Amino acid sequence: SSRRCRAVAGPLIRAAGPIGANSPVTSAAMSKPAPALFPEGTKMTTMTSGGRRKVHYTFPDESEMVEEYDVQTDVLAVRKRRSKTILGALGEWVYEIGEAPARVTIEGDTLRPSLSNPVLVRTDRPHCFEWRVRNLPYPKPTYSVTIDQDQRQIIIRTSNKKYFKRIDIADLDRARLPIEDSALSWTHESAGAGTLVVSYKKPPAILKAEKELKMARLTAPNEPVAANEAPDCKQQ
């Protein structure tokens, strides 16, 4: 697979709230501040590998975020984050969008979740945040999907008390944007084991920020990558 790594430098984008630290992302392609998304001093590099454009962010507090976009469609397939532990070691990757790969034990066995248990995965679309909960076979009237304004969370519950989940909308929290009940929608797909699909319409401020960040990562200058460059394109 081909690999390209590029560093981005330029004017700062003022963040409205914390993301990995507190408060503007460097980008050559941005001229106006966007709400949102990164603290001052954030470093960004990109590479293309295996059909995906991978963007690696390093924040001032040394926490990291990696996003992976499909090269053909530019759909965001993965967003994962990790921070340092109290002892200074790197913590585990936490997946905000997409699924973590199956774990492999020392004996070489693959650890996968039960095929019958509900599995929540965030899979965003261009104009909405989307969460899909697999393995929910109950009829549509069983489900209740609401917003808890006090906790700023989406709540999923079933009348048969088989499933309950609180979902944070991290993008809105980072940008300090309000959560609107009218932006929430949901449906249930009965095919297979059943999937509950929850959507939240992205506000204009998020769409504007994402558009500018897309321009930044697609127009950033390329830099050659050493043969031993790490897959996550981390800056040393």
Side-chain angles (χ1 to χ4, degrees):
S1 59
S2 62
R3 295 183 179 179
R4 299 195 308 275
C5 199
R6 48 199 181 185
V8 180
L12 298 173
I13 297 179
R14 177 66 58 182
I19 179 171
N22 290 321
S23 156
V25 61
T26 59
S27 166
M30 304 180 193
S31 57
K32 294 182 179 180
L37 301 180
F38 304 103
E40 184 173 5
T42 296
K43 297 177 182 179
M44 180 176 85
T45 57
T46 70
M47 67 180 291
T48 301
S49 175
R52 289 189 176 183
R53 181 174 291 105
K54 302 178 182 182
V55 188
H56 183 278
Y57 300 91
T58 304
F59 302 113
D61 65 354
E62 297 186 318
S63 63
E64 302 170 66
M65 182 174 79
V66 172
E67 294 181 327
E68 298 183 13
Y69 296 83
D70 184 276
V71 171
Q72 299 298 323
T73 65
D74 201 48
V75 169
L76 177 58
V78 169
R79 178 190 289 155
K80 58 184 181 179
R81 306 171 59 87
R82 68 178 176 184
S83 304
K84 286 194 172 182
T85 66
I86 296 176
L87 299 178
L90 287 172
E92 295 286 328
W93 286 109
V94 176
Y95 280 69
E96 188 173 299
I97 296 176
E99 288 187 86
R103 292 177 177 270
V104 178
T105 66
I106 296 177
E107 293 78 16
D109 298 324
T110 301
L111 298 178
R112 299 181 185 276
S114 169
L115 295 179
S116 61
N117 289 339
V119 177
L120 172 67
V121 179
R122 180 172 160 185
T123 56
D124 283 6
R125 297 184 180 276
H127 296 286
C128 69
F129 308 120
E130 183 178 280
W131 298 264
R132 302 178 69 89
V133 190
R134 302 195 302 266
N135 301 328
L136 286 180
Y138 317 115
K140 188 173 182 179
T142 308
Y143 305 97
S144 168
V145 183
T146 59
I147 287 179
D148 182 337
Q149 288 287 353
D150 292 336
Q151 298 298 319
R152 293 176 54 84
Q153 293 174 322
I154 297 172
I155 299 179
I156 303 173
R157 54 166 55 91
T158 58
S159 58
N160 60 11
K161 303 187 184 303
K162 296 291 187 179
Y163 186 77
F164 179 86
K165 188 69 176 181
R166 287 181 173 271
I167 301 174
D168 295 305
I169 310 179
D171 305 68
L172 299 188
D173 290 341
R174 288 191 283 263
R176 296 183 182 177
L177 293 172
I179 295 180
E180 305 288 348
D181 292 82
S182 60
L184 179 68
S185 62
W186 65 277
T187 188
H188 183 262
E189 300 173 352
S190 58
T195 300
L196 184 71
V197 183
V198 178
S199 302
Y200 186 96
K201 185 179 179 181
K202 295 178 182 178
I206 292 293
L207 292 173
K208 180 178 185 293
E210 290 182 346
K211 181 178 180 180
E212 295 183 350
L213 287 171
K214 177 180 178 178
M215 188 182 302
R217 70 173 184 271
L218 294 181
T219 61
N222 294 332
E223 290 189 356
V225 181
N228 61 350
E229 184 69 34
D232 281 337
C233 203
K234 181 179 178 180
Q235 291 186 343
Q236 301 297 323

